[in-house]
Amino acid sequence: MNNMDQAIANWRRQMTAAGVSNPQQLDELESHLRQEVSALVSTGMPEAEAVPLALSRLGQPAPLRAEFDKVNGGTCWPVKIGAGLWVVLALAMVAFVAFFKTWELLLSAHVFCVTTGYFAAFASGGFGACYVVCRFFRALPAFRQNSLVSAGVLFAWIAAGLVVAAFALGMIWSHQHLGTYMQGDSREFGALSVILCFLVLAAMRLRVRVSERAAMLWCIGGSALASLAWFGPFLFSIGSQTTHPARIPGYLPAALSIFVGIHLVLLIIGIAPVPPPPSEAQ
């Protein structure tokens, strides 16, 4: 065991004695600590000096426990806004499908699930984007970022569940009206890719020790994938016999390209190391 691992092991024992005994909380704190040490070492500081400095910046056990209690009892404002918007959208979709009384119940349920499911994927990616930006510019304390991680993973679960429900409802409707469960078109494969993406994220968070940064980057990628799964088939089917090009908005290719491009930029920012504070960079 090297000096850094020994120092972190001693720190974990101190944190446990102070009341921060939740393994997930300790793992998240250790992840922040190791990232801070890596950032300091990248500036040329020896590891023997970087570890004590990172520990001092992290704070004493008692204040950290109080901060955890405060964070666990509340939600940061980006999560409140994002979750609130998604709830408003879900209610609006209920009103929308209720307006089309000519739609049968099965089709209405399918439209509701697929729309709210993909928007849940966008919400998950939005929380990931907030995390990446806050981590890069340090606009939020590290413990507030835990709220973004929890919300991102939760909405990934919601997205996966709703898209699974939409896919199943679509299969039943297709069998009743077309005589086959699947048509083999790009929309079905897009939905399957979104389901697989978020189920893999959920499995990694449950079974594998994956960092919160990796989880948030996965949420951002899942959001980009959801946009391609939802709107991409309309572009691929231009000129086909099943889709009329006149019904496709002319701005859709550019809008989709910009949306996916923003996600790619966020992924690059998220992968990049956190820049040191100005005082340390000089």
Side-chain angles (χ1 to χ4, degrees):
M1 182 179 295
N2 58 36
N3 293 334
M4 183 172 72
D5 290 337
Q6 182 64 48
I8 291 177
N10 293 335
W11 166 81
R12 288 181 72 104
R13 285 193 290 268
Q14 294 173 2
M15 294 295 295
T16 301
V20 184
S21 56
N22 186 298
Q24 184 178 1
Q25 292 178 346
L26 286 173
D27 289 343
E28 291 173 356
L29 284 171
E30 181 178 337
S31 176
H32 288 298
L33 180 59
R34 291 184 180 275
Q35 289 176 9
E36 184 69 21
V37 171
S38 298
L40 293 172
V41 171
S42 66
T43 65
M45 180 180 294
E47 183 179 283
E49 299 178 9
V51 173
L53 180 57
L55 286 171
S56 65
R57 288 180 175 178
L58 194 60
Q60 296 299 315
L64 285 175
R65 179 186 178 184
E67 185 69 16
F68 257 122
D69 293 340
K70 180 175 65 175
V71 171
N72 291 337
T75 306
C76 65
W77 64 264
V79 173
K80 292 180 180 179
I81 294 175
L85 289 175
W86 184 83
V87 171
V88 170
L89 170 74
L91 294 175
M93 282 303 304
V94 171
F96 177 78
V97 297
F99 177 78
F100 288 93
K101 297 180 180 180
T102 57
W103 287 4
E104 58 183 286
L105 180 61
L106 189 63
L107 180 59
S108 298
H110 168 77
V111 172
F112 173 82
C113 289
V114 72
T115 304
T116 54
Y118 280 139
F119 269 98
F122 297 152
S124 177
F127 297 139
C130 289
Y131 173 88
V132 165
V133 172
C134 292
R135 173 182 171 272
F136 191 80
F137 295 103
R138 301 188 180 185
L140 285 178
F143 302 108
R144 296 291 177 87
Q145 296 176 7
N146 181 63
S147 178
L148 292 170
V149 174
S150 299
V153 174
L154 173 61
F155 272 84
W157 273 97
I158 294 173
L162 287 171
V163 178
V164 166
F167 192 84
L169 292 170
M171 289 178 63
I172 297 173
W173 184 92
S174 178
H175 179 68
Q176 290 179 353
H177 294 79
L178 304 175
T180 179
Y181 285 104
M182 294 185 65
Q183 299 297 307
D185 62 20
S186 54
R187 290 173 297 179
E188 294 171 342
F189 292 111
L192 286 174
S193 65
V194 172
I195 292 170
L196 180 61
C197 173
F198 287 116
L199 287 182
V200 168
L201 171 61
M204 289 193 303
R205 291 291 291 180
L206 290 175
R207 299 294 182 181
V208 184
R209 184 179 173 182
V210 59
S211 68
E212 60 181 27
R213 180 172 66 156
M216 290 294 91
L217 292 177
W218 200 278
C219 288
I220 294 173
S223 176
L225 182 61
S227 69
L228 293 173
W230 198 0
F231 300 106
F234 293 102
L235 304 182
F236 301 147
S237 59
I238 291 178
S240 69
Q241 297 178 354
T242 59
T243 303
H244 297 285
R247 297 180 181 178
I248 300 174
Y251 59 80
L252 181 58
L256 184 59
S257 299
I258 293 173
F259 188 80
V260 174
I262 292 174
H263 283 66
L264 293 177
V265 171
L266 289 169
L267 287 173
I268 293 173
I269 294 176
I271 295 173
V274 178
S279 59
E280 295 175 6
Q282 295 176 353

